[in-house]
Coordinates of all heavy atoms in Angstrom, one line a residue:
K87 N -75.7 3.7 31.4 CA -74.9 4.6 32.4 C -73.5 4.2 32.3 O -72.6 5.1 32.2 CB -75.4 4.3 33.7 CG -76.8 5.0 34.1 CD -77.2 4.9 35.4 CE -78.6 5.5 35.6 NZ -78.9 5.4 37.2
K88 N -73.1 2.9 32.2 CA -71.7 2.4 32.2 C -71.2 2.3 30.7 O -70.0 2.0 30.5 CB -71.7 1.0 33.0 CG -71.9 1.0 34.4 CD -71.8 -0.3 35.0 CE -72.0 -0.3 36.5 NZ -71.8 -1.6 37.0
M89 N -72.2 2.6 29.8 CA -71.8 2.5 28.4 C -71.1 1.0 28.0 O -70.1 1.1 27.5 CB -70.9 3.6 28.1 CG -71.4 5.0 28.4 SD -72.6 5.5 27.1 CE -71.8 5.9 25.8
T90 N -71.9 0.0 28.3 CA -71.5 -1.2 28.1 C -72.6 -2.0 27.4 O -73.7 -1.8 27.6 CB -70.9 -2.1 29.3 OG1 -71.9 -2.2 30.2 CG2 -69.7 -1.3 29.9
A91 N -72.3 -3.1 26.7 CA -73.2 -4.1 26.1 C -72.7 -5.6 26.5 O -71.5 -5.8 26.2 CB -73.4 -3.9 24.7
D92 N -73.6 -6.5 27.0 CA -73.3 -7.7 27.1 C -74.0 -8.6 26.0 O -75.2 -8.5 25.8 CB -73.8 -8.3 28.5 CG -73.3 -7.7 29.7 OD1 -72.3 -7.0 29.4 OD2 -73.8 -7.8 30.7
I93 N -73.1 -9.4 25.2 CA -73.5 -9.8 23.9 C -72.9 -11.3 23.7 O -71.8 -11.6 24.2 CB -73.2 -9.1 22.8 CG1 -73.6 -7.6 22.9 CG2 -73.7 -9.6 21.5 CD1 -73.2 -6.7 21.9
E94 N -73.9 -12.3 23.3 CA -73.4 -13.7 23.1 C -72.4 -13.7 21.8 O -72.7 -13.0 20.9 CB -74.6 -14.7 23.1 CG -75.2 -14.7 24.3 CD -76.3 -15.8 24.3 OE1 -77.0 -15.8 23.2 OE2 -76.7 -16.4 25.3
A95 N -71.5 -14.6 21.9 CA -70.4 -14.7 20.8 C -71.0 -14.9 19.5 O -70.3 -14.6 18.4 CB -69.5 -15.8 21.3
G96 N -72.1 -15.5 19.3 CA -72.7 -16.0 18.0 C -73.4 -14.8 17.3 O -73.9 -15.1 16.2
A97 N -73.6 -13.8 17.9 CA -74.3 -12.7 17.3 C -73.5 -12.1 16.1 O -72.3 -11.9 16.2 CB -74.5 -11.6 18.3
N98 N -74.1 -11.7 15.1 CA -73.6 -11.1 14.0 C -73.1 -9.8 14.3 O -73.9 -8.9 14.7 CB -74.6 -11.2 12.9 CG -74.1 -10.5 11.5 OD1 -74.0 -9.4 11.3 ND2 -73.6 -11.4 10.6
L99 N -71.9 -9.4 14.0 CA -71.3 -8.2 14.3 C -71.8 -7.0 13.5 O -72.0 -5.9 14.0 CB -69.7 -8.2 13.9 CG -68.8 -7.1 14.6 CD1 -69.0 -7.3 16.1 CD2 -67.4 -7.3 14.2
F100 N -72.2 -7.2 12.2 CA -72.8 -6.2 11.4 C -74.2 -5.8 12.2 O -74.6 -4.6 12.2 CB -73.0 -6.6 10.1 CG -73.5 -5.5 9.1 CD1 -72.7 -4.4 8.7 CD2 -74.8 -5.5 8.6 CE1 -73.2 -3.5 7.9 CE2 -75.4 -4.6 7.9 CZ -74.5 -3.5 7.5
Q101 N -75.0 -6.8 12.4 CA -76.3 -6.6 12.9 C -76.2 -6.0 14.3 O -77.1 -5.2 14.6 CB -77.1 -8.0 13.0 CG -77.4 -8.5 11.6 CD -78.0 -10.0 11.7 OE1 -78.2 -10.5 12.8 NE2 -78.4 -10.5 10.5
I102 N -75.2 -6.3 15.2 CA -75.0 -5.7 16.3 C -74.7 -4.1 16.1 O -75.3 -3.3 16.9 CB -73.8 -6.2 17.2 CG1 -74.1 -7.7 17.5 CG2 -73.3 -5.5 18.3 CD1 -72.7 -8.4 18.0
F103 N -73.9 -3.8 15.2 CA -73.7 -2.5 14.9 C -75.0 -1.7 14.4 O -75.1 -0.5 14.9 CB -72.5 -2.3 13.8 CG -72.0 -0.9 13.5 CD1 -70.9 -0.5 14.3 CD2 -72.5 -0.1 12.7 CE1 -70.4 0.8 14.3 CE2 -72.1 1.2 12.6 CZ -71.0 1.7 13.4
K104 N -75.7 -2.3 13.6 CA -76.9 -1.7 13.2 C -78.0 -1.5 14.3 O -78.7 -0.5 14.4 CB -77.6 -2.4 12.0 CG -76.7 -2.6 10.8 CD -76.1 -1.3 10.3 CE -77.1 -0.4 9.6 NZ -76.7 0.8 9.0
Y105 N -78.0 -2.6 15.2 CA -78.9 -2.4 16.4 C -78.5 -1.3 17.3 O -79.3 -0.4 17.8 CB -78.8 -3.7 17.1 CG -79.6 -3.8 18.4 CD1 -80.9 -4.2 18.4 CD2 -79.0 -3.6 19.7 CE1 -81.6 -4.1 19.6 CE2 -79.8 -3.6 20.9 CZ -81.1 -3.9 20.8 OH -81.8 -3.9 22.0
L106 N -77.2 -1.2 17.5 CA -76.7 -0.1 18.4 C -76.8 1.3 17.8 O -77.1 2.1 18.4 CB -75.0 -0.3 18.7 CG -74.7 -1.5 19.6 CD1 -73.3 -1.7 19.6 CD2 -75.3 -1.3 21.1
E107 N -76.7 1.4 16.5 CA -76.9 2.6 15.7 C -78.3 3.1 15.9 O -78.5 4.3 16.1 CB -76.6 2.2 14.2 CG -76.6 3.6 13.4 CD -76.1 3.4 11.9 OE1 -76.8 2.4 11.3 OE2 -75.3 3.9 11.4
K108 N -79.2 2.2 15.9 CA -80.7 2.7 16.0 C -80.9 3.2 17.5 O -81.9 4.1 17.7 CB -81.6 1.5 15.9 CG -81.7 1.1 14.5 CD -82.6 0.0 14.3 CE -82.7 -0.6 12.9 NZ -83.6 -1.9 12.7
K109 N -80.1 2.8 18.5 CA -80.1 3.3 19.8 C -79.2 4.4 20.0 O -78.8 4.8 21.2 CB -80.0 2.1 20.8 CG -81.1 1.2 20.8 CD -80.9 0.1 21.8 CE -82.0 -0.9 21.8 NZ -83.3 -0.2 22.1
D110 N -78.5 5.0 19.0 CA -77.6 6.1 19.0 C -76.3 5.7 19.7 O -75.7 6.6 20.5 CB -78.2 7.3 19.7 CG -79.3 7.9 18.7 OD1 -78.9 7.9 17.5 OD2 -80.2 8.6 19.2
F111 N -75.9 4.4 19.5 CA -74.5 3.9 20.2 C -73.8 3.3 18.9 O -74.3 3.1 17.9 CB -74.8 3.0 21.1 CG -75.3 3.5 22.5 CD1 -76.7 3.3 22.8 CD2 -74.6 4.2 23.3 CE1 -77.2 3.7 24.0 CE2 -75.1 4.7 24.6 CZ -76.4 4.5 24.9
K112 N -72.4 3.2 19.3 CA -71.6 2.6 18.2 C -70.5 1.8 18.9 O -70.4 1.9 20.1 CB -71.0 3.6 17.3 CG -69.8 4.6 18.1 CD -69.3 5.6 17.3 CE -68.4 6.6 18.2 NZ -67.8 7.5 17.3
V113 N -69.9 1.0 18.2 CA -68.7 0.3 18.7 C -67.6 0.3 17.6 O -67.9 0.4 16.4 CB -69.1 -1.4 19.0 CG1 -69.5 -2.0 17.7 CG2 -67.8 -1.9 19.6
F114 N -66.4 0.4 17.9 CA -65.4 0.6 17.1 C -64.9 -0.7 16.2 O -64.8 -1.8 16.8 CB -64.1 1.3 17.6 CG -64.4 2.7 18.0 CD1 -64.5 3.1 19.3 CD2 -64.7 3.7 17.1 CE1 -64.6 4.3 19.7 CE2 -64.9 5.0 17.4 CZ -64.9 5.3 18.7
N115 N -64.3 -0.6 15.1 CA -63.7 -1.6 14.4 C -64.6 -2.8 13.9 O -64.4 -3.9 14.2 CB -62.5 -2.3 15.2 CG -61.4 -1.2 15.3 OD1 -60.7 -1.0 14.4 ND2 -61.2 -0.7 16.5
I116 N -65.5 -2.4 13.0 CA -66.4 -3.2 12.3 C -65.6 -3.6 11.0 O -65.3 -2.8 10.1 CB -67.8 -2.7 11.9 CG1 -68.4 -2.2 13.3 CG2 -68.6 -3.8 11.3 CD1 -68.6 -3.3 14.3
P117 N -65.2 -4.8 10.8 CA -64.5 -5.3 9.5 C -65.4 -5.2 8.3 O -66.6 -4.9 8.3 CB -64.0 -6.7 9.8 CG -65.1 -7.2 10.8 CD -65.6 -6.0 11.6
G118 N -64.8 -5.6 7.1 CA -65.4 -5.3 5.8 C -66.6 -6.2 5.4 O -67.4 -5.7 4.7
G119 N -66.8 -7.3 5.9 CA -67.8 -8.1 5.5 C -69.1 -8.1 6.5 O -69.0 -7.7 7.5
K120 N -70.2 -8.8 6.0 CA -71.4 -8.9 6.8 C -71.6 -10.2 7.6 O -72.5 -10.4 8.3 CB -72.6 -8.7 5.9 CG -72.8 -7.1 5.5 CD -74.2 -7.1 4.7 CE -74.6 -5.8 4.4 NZ -75.8 -5.6 3.8
N121 N -70.5 -11.0 7.5 CA -70.6 -12.4 8.0 C -69.8 -12.7 9.2 O -69.7 -13.9 9.5 CB -70.3 -13.4 6.9 CG -71.3 -13.3 5.7 OD1 -72.4 -13.2 5.9 ND2 -70.7 -13.2 4.4
V122 N -69.3 -11.7 9.8 CA -68.3 -12.0 10.9 C -69.2 -11.9 12.3 O -70.0 -11.1 12.5 CB -67.4 -10.8 11.1 CG1 -66.3 -11.1 12.2 CG2 -66.5 -10.6 9.8
S123 N -68.9 -12.9 13.2 CA -69.6 -13.1 14.5 C -68.7 -12.2 15.5 O -67.6 -11.9 15.3 CB -69.8 -14.5 14.8 OG -68.5 -15.1 15.1
L124 N -69.4 -12.0 16.5 CA -68.7 -11.3 17.6 C -67.4 -12.0 18.2 O -66.4 -11.6 18.2 CB -69.6 -11.1 18.8 CG -69.0 -10.4 20.1 CD1 -68.5 -8.9 19.8 CD2 -70.0 -10.4 21.2
G125 N -67.7 -13.5 18.4 CA -66.6 -14.3 18.9 C -65.5 -14.4 17.8 O -64.2 -14.4 18.2
G126 N -65.8 -14.3 16.5 CA -64.8 -14.4 15.5 C -64.0 -13.1 15.6 O -62.7 -13.1 15.3
A127 N -64.7 -12.0 15.7 CA -64.0 -10.7 15.6 C -63.0 -10.7 16.8 O -61.9 -10.0 16.7 CB -65.0 -9.5 15.8
I128 N -63.4 -11.2 17.9 CA -62.5 -11.2 19.1 C -61.3 -12.2 18.8 O -60.1 -11.9 19.2 CB -63.2 -11.6 20.3 CG1 -64.3 -10.4 20.7 CG2 -62.2 -11.7 21.6 CD1 -65.2 -10.8 21.8
S129 N -61.6 -13.3 18.6 CA -60.6 -14.3 18.4 C -59.5 -14.1 17.2 O -58.5 -14.5 17.4 CB -61.1 -15.8 18.1 OG -61.9 -15.9 17.1
G130 N -60.1 -13.4 16.2 CA -59.1 -12.9 15.2 C -58.6 -11.5 15.5 O -57.7 -11.0 14.8
N131 N -59.1 -10.9 16.4 CA -58.7 -9.4 16.9 C -58.7 -8.5 15.6 O -57.7 -7.8 15.2 CB -57.4 -9.4 17.5 CG -57.2 -8.1 18.3 OD1 -58.1 -7.5 18.7 ND2 -55.9 -7.8 18.5
V132 N -59.8 -8.4 15.0 CA -59.8 -7.8 13.6 C -59.8 -6.3 13.8 O -60.0 -5.7 14.9 CB -61.3 -8.1 13.1 CG1 -61.5 -9.5 12.8 CG2 -62.5 -7.6 13.9
H133 N -59.5 -5.6 12.8 CA -59.6 -4.1 12.7 C -60.5 -3.7 11.6 O -60.8 -4.5 10.6 CB -58.2 -3.6 12.4 CG -57.6 -4.1 11.2 ND1 -56.9 -5.2 11.2 CD2 -57.4 -3.4 10.0 CE1 -56.4 -5.3 10.0 NE2 -56.7 -4.2 9.2
G134 N -61.1 -2.5 11.8 CA -62.0 -2.0 10.7 C -62.4 -0.6 10.9 O -61.5 0.3 11.4
R135 N -63.7 -0.1 10.7 CA -64.2 1.1 11.0 C -65.4 1.2 11.5 O -66.1 0.2 11.5 CB -64.3 1.7 9.5 CG -62.8 2.0 8.9 CD -63.1 2.2 7.5 NE -61.7 2.1 6.8 CZ -60.9 1.1 6.5 NH1 -61.5 -0.1 6.8 NH2 -59.7 1.0 6.1
P136 N -65.8 2.2 12.3 CA -64.9 3.5 12.5 C -63.9 3.1 13.7 O -64.1 2.1 14.3 CB -65.9 4.6 13.0 CG -67.1 3.8 13.6 CD -67.2 2.6 12.7
R137 N -62.9 3.9 13.8 CA -61.9 3.8 14.6 C -61.4 5.0 15.3 O -61.6 6.1 14.6 CB -60.7 3.1 14.2 CG -59.9 3.9 13.1 CD -58.7 3.0 12.7 NE -59.1 1.9 11.9 CZ -58.1 0.8 11.7 NH1 -56.9 0.9 12.1 NH2 -58.6 -0.3 11.1
R138 N -60.6 5.0 16.3 CA -60.0 6.3 16.9 C -58.8 5.8 17.7 O -58.6 4.6 18.0 CB -60.9 7.1 17.7 CG -61.2 6.5 19.1 CD -62.2 7.5 19.9 NE -62.1 7.0 21.3 CZ -63.0 7.6 22.2 NH1 -63.8 8.4 21.7 NH2 -63.0 7.2 23.5
S139 N -58.0 6.7 18.1 CA -56.9 6.4 18.9 C -57.3 5.7 20.2 O -58.1 6.1 20.9 CB -56.1 7.8 19.3 OG -55.0 7.5 20.0
G140 N -56.5 4.7 20.5 CA -57.0 3.8 21.7 C -58.0 2.7 21.4 O -58.1 1.9 22.2
Y141 N -58.6 2.7 20.3 CA -59.4 1.8 19.8 C -59.1 1.3 18.4 O -59.8 1.7 17.4 CB -61.0 2.1 19.9 CG -61.4 2.4 21.4 CD1 -61.1 3.5 22.0 CD2 -61.9 1.3 21.9 CE1 -61.4 3.7 23.3 CE2 -62.3 1.5 23.4 CZ -62.0 2.6 24.1 OH -62.4 2.7 25.4
S142 N -58.0 0.7 18.2 CA -57.4 0.4 16.8 C -57.7 -1.0 16.3 O -57.7 -1.3 15.2 CB -55.9 0.7 16.8 OG -55.6 1.9 17.3
V143 N -58.0 -1.9 17.3 CA -58.4 -3.2 16.9 C -59.6 -3.7 17.7 O -59.9 -2.9 18.8 CB -57.2 -4.3 17.2 CG1 -56.1 -4.0 16.2 CG2 -56.8 -4.2 18.6
F144 N -60.3 -4.7 17.4 CA -61.5 -5.0 18.1 C -61.3 -5.3 19.6 O -62.2 -5.0 20.5 CB -62.3 -6.2 17.4 CG -63.7 -6.2 17.7 CD1 -64.6 -5.5 17.2 CD2 -64.2 -7.0 18.8 CE1 -66.0 -5.5 17.5 CE2 -65.5 -7.1 19.2 CZ -66.4 -6.3 18.5
G145 N -60.2 -5.9 19.8 CA -59.9 -6.2 21.2 C -59.9 -5.0 22.2 O -60.0 -5.2 23.4
D146 N -59.7 -3.9 21.7 CA -59.7 -2.6 22.5 C -61.1 -2.3 23.1 O -61.3 -1.6 23.9 CB -59.2 -1.5 21.6 CG -57.8 -1.6 21.3 OD1 -57.0 -2.1 22.2 OD2 -57.3 -1.0 20.4
N147 N -62.2 -2.9 22.3 CA -63.5 -2.7 22.7 C -63.9 -3.5 24.0 O -64.8 -3.3 24.6 CB -64.5 -3.1 21.7 CG -64.5 -2.2 20.5 OD1 -64.3 -1.0 20.6 ND2 -64.4 -2.7 19.3
V148 N -63.1 -4.6 24.1 CA -63.6 -5.7 25.0 C -63.2 -5.4 26.5 O -62.0 -5.1 26.8 CB -63.0 -7.1 24.6 CG1 -63.5 -8.3 25.6 CG2 -63.4 -7.5 23.3

Side-chain angles (χ1 to χ4, degrees):
K87 289 184 179 180
K88 293 183 179 180
M89 301 287 283
T90 62
D92 296 343
I93 306 173
E94 292 183 328
N98 179 280
L99 199 60
F100 183 78
Q101 291 174 358
I102 292 170
F103 191 88
K104 300 307 288 184
Y105 177 85
L106 291 173
E107 190 177 45
K108 289 178 181 178
K109 295 184 176 295
D110 288 329
F111 289 104
K112 66 181 178 183
V113 62
F114 289 112
N115 289 292
I116 305 300
K120 284 189 171 182
N121 299 313
V122 184
S123 68
L124 176 64
I128 295 170
S129 58
N131 201 19
V132 301
H133 57 280
R135 293 162 187 79
R137 68 173 66 196
R138 77 174 191 192
S139 180
Y141 290 85
S142 307
V143 290
F144 199 84
D146 294 333
N147 295 316
V148 182

